[in-house]
Amino acid sequence: GYPNVGKSSLINSLKRSRACGVGATPGVTRCLQAVQLDRHIRLLDCPGVVLDSGDPPAAAPLRGALAPQRLRDPLTPACAILRRCPSQQVCGD
């Protein structure tokens, strides 16, 4: 699945314990991990996967592929977000 959509959190919720590490930034889950839910069910937690869609590099942060702190130019993705929002939502009018 995509990065930071809650894969690890869902597994922790189903397991009712902290079986997988979670965090607010992409890259917390670094390798595949099997978690035994019960005798018959094993869940796999894996790092997020973002396939190359041919979009410009500025779109990668919008898909959660890069942590905001690692961006060299945070204005380009911010402008891309603002272009997608209706001006009434942004201005609060």
Side-chain angles (χ1 to χ4, degrees):
Y2 283 104
N4 275 35
V5 294
K7 297 179 297 292
S8 300
S9 295
L10 177 63
I11 291 172
N12 287 344
S13 180
L14 292 171
K15 183 77 175 164
R16 295 185 181 183
S17 68
R18 186 178 160 101
C20 304
V22 296
T25 58
V28 173
T29 303
R30 297 198 180 270
C31 60
L32 188 70
Q33 177 183 356
V35 177
Q36 196 72 37
L37 188 59
D38 65 19
R39 232 167 37 108
H40 302 288
I41 299 175
R42 180 180 295 168
L43 302 172
L44 294 177
D45 189 25
C46 64
V49 177
V50 177
L51 302 174
D52 185 15
S53 64
D55 291 337
L62 302 181
R63 293 191 304 266
L66 295 173
Q69 298 84 353
R70 294 182 58 203
L71 295 176
R72 288 185 189 168
D73 172 26
L75 293 179
T76 303
C79 289
I81 291 170
L82 291 173
R83 279 194 300 273
R84 293 179 181 199
C85 297
S87 60
Q88 297 85 1
Q89 283 183 320
V90 177
C91 296
D93 206 16

